[in-house]
Amino acid sequence: MSRLIIVSNRVAPISEGGPAAGGLAVGVYDALKETGGMWFGWSGDVLASGQPQIKVEERGPVTFATIGLMRRDYDQYYRGFSNATLWPAFHYRADLLQYNRHDFEGYGRVNAWLAQQLVPLLRDDDVIWVHDYHLIPFAQALRAAGVKNRIGFFLHIPFPASQVLLAVPPHRELVEALCSFDLIGFQTAPDLRAFCDYIVNEANGEVDSAAQGEGPSTIRAFGRTLRAAAYPIGVYPDEIAELAKAGDRGKPVRTMKKTLHERKLVMSVDRLDYSKGLVERFRAFERLLDHVPAQRDKVSFLQIAPPTRADLNTYQDIRLQLEGESGRINGRFAELDWTPILYIHRQYERSVLAALFRTAHVGYVTPLRDGMNLVAKEYVSAQDPDNPGVLVLSRFAGAAQELDGALIVNPVDIDGMAEALATALSMPLAERQARYRGMMAQLRENNVSVWRDNFMRDLKATPVAKKSRATRTVRAGRATA
Ligand code: ADQ
């Protein structure tokens, strides 16, 4: 069996029982254990001086190969082009996009350097699976180094509509680089459509669309033939349900229940990020208390949001804005024994989160844009089948393509979200159960093993890369930026 090589910006820290984080890390680590293989990426260290050295650790059938980044590389590749240009643009926030040519050069340079570090560790029959927007040029860099292996790519975040992507100055170089992969996976059909639209209308390429469920579409662009499809990432719903049930009697849940008295709980968990729609969400909770006075003192909203990328201005801004909003709303409505919004910055163990999800009457997941959103899937998985809560879900989360038992909202419609919260809080048991059962069946059918196996099946079935005649056409008719 050929080895699997996973490449991602960060290699998930692994403890005895497997990775601590959800979704991707768990699913990918499982696959690595089955086939044997390697996980390669940045260690998370930023070096002020010296020369980064690759560290290779064997743990059973899995090899972890990690390397630090020099400060300048971190600034340009990670903080700069990945998180100040690509992240906002791909989440439809062209207003927050910052672009700097030197950062883009750094992004390309670090991708090439990382690829060179990986090359000596590769064998001829390895299958390489690269993850996410930090590493769009990675296959191009491996190809330049002579690597002939099959290389797949999965984009965890949305692929934006062409008119938004055009706001990124080197959009064409990016999509050309993307076309060096053999198979590209997106979270949802709309992301795939956006990519195909760019290929046809901006890159002068061709798309042979496969019918739904018929495998990947064939793309011819920039002189290459490759394939692309949607592979919605999942979770392991039954494991989460077990964790949630076990944690139900644990201390954090008992404390939470004591704090709530008999009140209902609305709950959200996100990295603190402007794409997650937290400000709008806080305001919709305020609107509920405004418009439905009977809910005052009857419901609390728990928002868990650990800060990330705290060295970027846009992240400092959103943090300040949220602290202001939660203080203002609590100041307006709080009573001596009732705090409407509990806003917490901590990380929690998965088992604690799962148990808290089970306690919450409403899972309130309203990103402005999200590739998938695993929290929505984790919330549903954690519910008590006899007395499940209700998911309120943004139509702009990839998860909304699958979870049609949720109350689907538009996260900029504050009144609409407040109404959905009121509906969720008073939904009869029979309706909650019917919605829960439908969503749980979907989550079981498309769990994270299915996601990974479908991607790997299609990658292995992809004909090995060859040049196509389209090259000359595209290059000759090169579009202007
Ligand atoms: P994220 O933007 O990080 O992921 P999400 O899919 O919600 O968003 O995954 C976050 C994970 O971190 C979840 O498993 C959640 O339980 C966990 N988590 C969040 N806050 C936590 C806390 N305080 N303590 C402990 N755990 C916490 C990106 C894309 C998503 C896509 C995923 C996977 O932006 O759209 O769903 O990758 O492809």
Side-chain angles (χ1 to χ4, degrees):
M1 212 192 304
S2 53
R3 287 194 313 174
L4 172 60
I5 310 294
I6 299 288
V7 184
S8 63
N9 171 59
R10 280 299 299 275
V11 174
I14 308 289
S15 60
E16 281 301 304
L24 159 76
V26 179
V28 157
Y29 184 65
D30 266 13
L32 280 170
K33 277 195 305 192
E34 274 164 34
T35 58
M38 188 193 305
W39 196 332
F40 173 80
W42 175 35
S43 60
D45 296 330
V46 180
L47 312 181
S49 61
Q51 185 73 31
Q53 295 294 331
I54 195 159
K55 186 168 141 203
V56 179
E57 279 177 280
E58 310 272 342
R59 293 213 199 152
V62 184
T63 304
F64 292 87
T66 53
I67 191 157
L69 286 177
M70 299 305 293
R71 163 65 52 187
R72 173 165 163 263
D73 290 345
Y74 168 81
D75 284 341
Q76 295 185 332
Y77 148 83
Y78 182 76
R79 260 179 87 225
F81 194 71
S82 293
N83 285 320
T85 307
L86 290 180
W87 179 271
F90 279 41
H91 288 86
Y92 288 75
R93 291 300 301 269
D95 59 319
L96 296 179
L97 181 161
Q98 293 168 25
Y99 177 69
N100 174 331
R101 257 184 209 184
H102 299 299
D103 288 352
F104 180 57
E105 281 160 23
Y107 178 78
R109 181 182 71 244
V110 171
N111 267 271
W113 173 74
L114 286 171
Q116 282 153 18
Q117 303 301 310
L118 178 63
V119 168
L121 306 175
L122 291 175
R123 300 180 194 154
D124 285 350
D125 63 344
D126 285 342
V127 176
I128 305 166
W129 187 5
V130 180
H131 290 263
D132 231 0
Y133 60 102
H134 316 85
L135 298 169
I136 289 173
F138 201 79
Q140 199 175 43
L142 284 178
R143 300 279 178 231
V147 170
K148 301 260 179 330
N149 303 47
R150 286 197 173 85
I151 315 175
F153 179 79
F154 185 77
L155 185 67
H156 289 261
I157 65 175
F159 192 88
S162 290
Q163 288 304 311
V164 179
L165 185 55
L166 294 179
V168 178
H171 57 87
R172 192 180 173 83
E173 286 94 323
L174 283 170
V175 179
E176 180 168 7
L178 207 43
C179 289
S180 289
F181 288 96
D182 297 308
L183 174 67
I184 305 174
F186 297 98
Q187 295 273 26
T188 66
D191 298 311
L192 173 64
R193 279 202 297 274
F195 173 72
C196 292
D197 175 57
Y198 184 100
I199 291 295
V200 171
N201 295 308
E202 304 295 334
N204 210 8
E206 286 169 24
V207 176
D208 291 341
S209 292
Q212 192 139 27
E214 296 263 300
S217 301
T218 301
I219 314 285
R220 276 178 283 277
F222 301 104
R224 290 193 83 255
T225 301
L226 60 144
R227 304 204 299 165
Y231 304 90
I233 193 169
V235 294
Y236 287 120
D238 293 305
E239 269 181 31
I240 294 171
E242 283 305 313
L243 273 182
K245 214 162 122 187
D248 214 15
R249 291 175 296 279
K251 185 151 178 277
V253 170
R254 277 189 283 128
T255 312
M256 186 72 228
K257 283 186 176 159
K258 223 188 285 170
T259 314
L260 284 173
H261 300 289
E262 292 302 308
R263 293 184 194 103
K264 290 194 169 172
L265 180 65
V266 172
M267 180 174 168
S268 306
V269 178
D270 312 77
R271 285 182 306 96
L272 182 46
D273 192 296
Y274 51 79
S275 66
K276 302 288 183 182
L278 283 93
V279 175
E280 292 78 2
R281 185 184 301 169
F282 280 29
R283 289 188 183 152
F285 184 72
E286 177 185 29
R287 193 68 54 92
L288 170 78
L289 300 180
D290 252 335
H291 285 188
V292 191
Q295 288 292 357
R296 293 182 201 163
D297 197 25
K298 296 285 181 302
V299 58
S300 286
F301 167 32
L302 169 64
Q303 171 72 64
I304 298 178
T308 50
R309 306 173 194 164
D311 52 357
L312 284 170
N313 289 341
T314 42
Y315 287 78
Q316 290 154 12
D317 292 348
I318 183 78
R319 183 174 177 162
L320 284 178
Q321 205 182 352
L322 280 168
E323 281 165 5
E325 283 300 288
S326 59
R328 185 181 63 73
I329 298 167
N330 279 338
R332 258 192 88 190
F333 292 102
E335 301 285 347
L336 287 175
D337 63 346
W338 172 53
T339 310
I341 301 182
L342 302 164
Y343 176 38
I344 299 178
H345 278 164
R346 272 193 50 183
Q347 291 276 357
Y348 286 93
E349 300 267 316
R350 299 185 72 217
S351 55
V352 173
L353 276 190
L356 288 171
F357 283 146
R358 193 176 170 100
T359 308
H361 301 82
V362 180
Y364 190 22
V365 185
T366 57
L368 298 171
R369 289 281 162 183
D370 219 329
M372 177 53 61
N373 195 299
L374 293 177
V375 170
K377 295 187 168 184
E378 291 163 359
Y379 174 77
V380 173
S381 306
Q383 294 311 298
D384 174 357
D386 294 331
N387 186 21
V390 181
L391 177 65
V392 173
L393 180 61
S394 163
R395 60 169 299 164
F396 300 117
Q401 302 287 318
E402 292 169 88
L403 298 179
D404 55 5
L407 295 177
I408 302 291
V409 294
N410 181 328
V412 299
D413 177 5
I414 306 293
D415 285 317
M417 283 201 286
E419 281 163 18
L421 284 177
T423 306
L425 286 164
S426 59
M427 190 180 283
L429 177 63
E431 183 177 352
R432 283 188 273 130
Q433 284 179 324
R435 287 172 179 269
Y436 161 81
R437 278 197 291 266
M439 291 194 282
M440 203 57 182
Q442 170 63 28
L443 292 176
R444 287 192 175 112
E445 198 179 302
N446 188 36
N447 71 17
V448 71
S449 305
V450 174
W451 165 74
R452 174 193 80 208
D453 293 346
N454 286 348
F455 187 92
M456 290 310 293
R457 177 201 61 211
D458 290 346
L459 179 56
K460 287 179 181 169
T462 298
V464 179
K466 59 177 192 293
K467 291 269 179 195
S468 78
R469 284 191 298 140
T471 327
R472 274 168 262 136
T473 329
V474 175
R475 290 258 158 86
R478 195 171 182 104
T480 47

